[in-house]
Amino acid sequence: TEATTRAGTFPQLSSVLADAAALVPAKGLVVWAAPGSSDLKAVLAHGYGADVVARLKPMPRTADNATATACRTGRTQVVRATAADTTGALVAPIVTAHGTVGCLAVEVPRAAETSDRARAIVDILAAAIAGRFGSEGLFAGSVTPAAEVRSA
């Protein structure tokens, strides 16, 4: 989106994530980044308390989960809710000219994970966030450790 493309600071991008969360609808969103070939690290979160964000530890790209799989394959992953009272997820890769540099993980209410509309919004948001990576981008250089992740 135009707002995401203009978002040059964490507070601005946090605001865009909040707007996107309302559109999907999403319980929470996490931007994961993996500079070079390093582990995935949470760099930005929305919708979760500080206690949850503090538990977002670095994750190997080889991990057996939807987040790592989206980064390895460059394809959006769907995690289906397993019961009526659980949530699902959509995890979209963040792809630049240099390849997959991270992913956007979005926790959604049951059945939203199969919604074409939710999938489209998540894919578009991940593509827009990709513009924030790179030498001039928001996520240039080192990535903030999970303990210091900015939460909206």
Side-chain angles (χ1 to χ4, degrees), residues 49-144:
D51 59 326
V52 173
V53 172
R55 293 192 309 254
L56 299 175
K57 302 298 181 205
M59 169 190 333
R61 284 179 176 251
T62 57
D64 185 21
N65 61 47
T67 301
T69 300
C71 287
R72 280 194 313 274
T73 65
R75 293 183 167 192
T76 298
Q77 301 297 301
V78 176
V79 179
R80 296 193 187 274
T82 57
D85 61 345
T86 61
T87 56
L90 292 164
V91 186
I94 298 172
V95 182
T96 70
H98 303 289
T100 303
V101 296
C103 60
L104 172 65
V106 182
E107 184 179 1
V108 296
R110 186 177 188 281
E113 73 273 17
T114 60
S115 160
D116 290 340
R117 179 179 181 276
R119 167 86 182 253
I121 292 168
V122 171
D123 285 344
I124 290 167
L125 184 58
I129 291 170
R132 305 291 40 140
F133 283 79
S135 61
E136 300 293 323
L138 180 61
F139 301 112
S142 63
V143 175
T144 304

